Amino acid sequence: MLGDVMAVFSPDPPLTGADLERASERTRRLSVAEGATWAVMCGFGDAYLAPFALFLKAGNHAMAFLGTAPLVVGALAQLAGASLSERTGRERTGRRKPLLVLTTAAHALGYLLLFWAPFLFRAHAVEALLVVGAVLAWLASFGTPAWTSWMGDLVAPERRGRYFALRNVVVMLTMVVAMLAAAAMLSAGRARGWIWAGFGGLFTVAAIARGTSSWLFARHHEPPLTPSPGSYFSFWDYLRRAPRSNFAKFSFAVAMMNGAVNTAGPFFTVYMLRDLHWTYFQFTVSTVVFLVAQSVVYRWWGAICDRHGARSVMKATSVILPVLPLLWAFITSYPALLVAQALSGCTWAGFNLASTNFIYDAVTPQKRARIVGYHGLLNAFFTLIGGNVIGATLAEVVPASFAIGPVHVTLLSSLPAVFVASSLLRILAAAIMLPRFREVREVERVGTLALLRRFGRGEPVVSAGMELIHRLPLLGRIFSSRPAPPPPKRGA
């Protein structure tokens, strides 16, 4: 056991040629498994933070804080993690494995504290939850720059879209199973009057899953990383370069969009459980629909990113993003909102995958960890403004009933007005920033409307269905005997 621990802190032996490729391939597979354990943690832990807060009687401002403040804490953690990953190890050679192994182990213990702190301090249960939630956010984000830098070294540029799409599919499907199991556990506890025990069971499973992630990280191969002398630059330097830096323009575009999204983001769970009176089971099904939709289209978006570039995907999905909160503002039917969740999952799968791939494409390995930290801090700032300033203020001051001329409008609460505001801000963010940055790779050009037509015709679903068919031995033989369809026209 002691030998295994010491091995984590010792640099991996240098490898070349076939040995390096075998070690890298093994690590890529381990990373998929680690993603699955992370998904179990999220399905049993993160997904039920907001319901736990509502169970503890948290108000709108507390919910806004829970949804946005951890992002700011996480961004500061990323900056600290980026600096540490550049400085650990002998002769200031960057080591990333020890950082990730230790922080994920501490993150696992944090989930036990998440339950016991509010349980032991019931008079201040909400405050205890918010404090522990911030600690969890720090531990979850501290290793993100190191992980991003590490995986960028292990996955070749020409296969990043497909690899991370495959990894995300495994993550999403695992999260679906985890959330369904978590919902069953919580429902069983609620039926017996043991809802405290139900949440305790959820967070215990989350802790075990995160501990398994730490064990898997210890078995990853880590290529050496030596930061170059010119790779350091301050956050102020990063902001100063914004008018000239293509990546800084991209970072501001993503940050502004995330700020607009999180104007409404912290309040969707509140709206579902408090205003629409959904059960925990209905809430879980809604989240599962969102995750399944993402898993269905990830591979398609990954192929589009590899062929047409990340910017094309971001532009296309940004046309749909402003529509999503409007559906929640004007629709209350549960089946219709499940359809909205499916559309949301399909859209966010593309935007998030493209944003991640753009970072890998645009940033050199030596600067990647620090850039991820600065990018996260910028996103956190806009998210804090969107959620805690704009969203929370609107949720408190906008009346649920008002008159527009002779028309009297009565809403379930003030939250539909927050959703409309989020839609308008998303339009503004996309219109201002997306035209300002360029694609960094040589890719085949495609028009935004052409890509949206392909998306609207159901090409991602058809592509996923055909892939599934070809993976089934009998149907695969039947379909493979047919002539292949002609390739799509350039730019279609």
Side-chain angles (χ1 to χ4, degrees), residues 268 271-272 276 278 285-294 297 317 320-349 419 426 455:
F268 281 113
Y271 188 64
M272 295 175 197
L276 295 178
W278 286 6
V285 169
S286 172
T287 307
V288 165
V289 168
F290 177 81
L291 297 175
V292 169
Q294 289 193 70
V297 301
T317 52
I320 306 173
L321 289 179
V323 178
L324 302 177
L326 295 179
L327 300 177
W328 286 89
F330 298 110
I331 297 173
T332 57
S333 166
Y334 183 71
L337 288 176
L338 290 184
V339 175
Q341 281 288 73
L343 177 62
S344 180
C346 291
T347 306
W348 278 113
F419 300 157
R426 295 179 197 201
F455 179 79

Side-chain angles (χ1 to χ4, degrees), residues 244-270:
R244 304 181 305 276
S245 167
N246 184 60
F247 183 85
K249 293 174 184 176
F250 154 81
S251 191
F252 269 95
V254 175
M256 289 179 66
M257 181 61 76
N258 282 331
V261 167
N262 280 284
T263 299
F267 303 106
F268 281 113
T269 300
V270 180

Side-chain angles (χ1 to χ4, degrees), residues 1-13 89-90 95 97-99 101-102 218-219 222:
M1 178 66 72
L2 181 60
D4 291 340
V5 173
M6 295 304 297
V8 170
F9 295 93
S10 302
D12 290 355
R90 297 177 180 177
R95 292 296 318 285
K97 183 189 291 189
L99 188 151
V101 170
L102 292 177
R219 280 146 184 80
E222 181 187 10

Side-chain angles (χ1 to χ4, degrees), residues 307 443-445 488-492:
R307 181 177 178 183
V443 295
E444 181 181 332
R445 296 176 63 86
K489 296 180 180 179
R490 185 178 181 85

Side-chain angles (χ1 to χ4, degrees), residues 35 65 86 115 136 235 370 376 395 453:
F65 185 89
E86 291 173 354
F115 171 74
L136 286 176
F235 185 62
R370 183 163 295 277
R453 280 197 297 269

Side-chain angles (χ1 to χ4, degrees), residues 225-247:
L225 172 67
T226 305
S228 61
S231 64
Y232 175 80
F233 55 97
S234 68
F235 185 62
W236 173 243
D237 292 331
Y238 180 72
L239 295 178
R240 248 182 341 106
R241 297 173 187 173
R244 304 181 305 276
S245 167
N246 184 60
F247 183 85

Side-chain angles (χ1 to χ4, degrees), residues 346-382:
C346 291
T347 306
W348 278 113
F351 187 88
N352 290 335
L353 182 65
S355 301
T356 301
N357 284 354
F358 192 93
I359 295 173
Y360 284 121
D361 293 339
V363 183
T364 59
Q366 290 80 8
K367 296 181 179 180
R368 197 173 283 142
R370 183 163 295 277
I371 280 286
V372 168
Y374 292 160
H375 178 70
L377 184 60
L378 193 62
N379 273 269
F381 172 77
F382 277 92

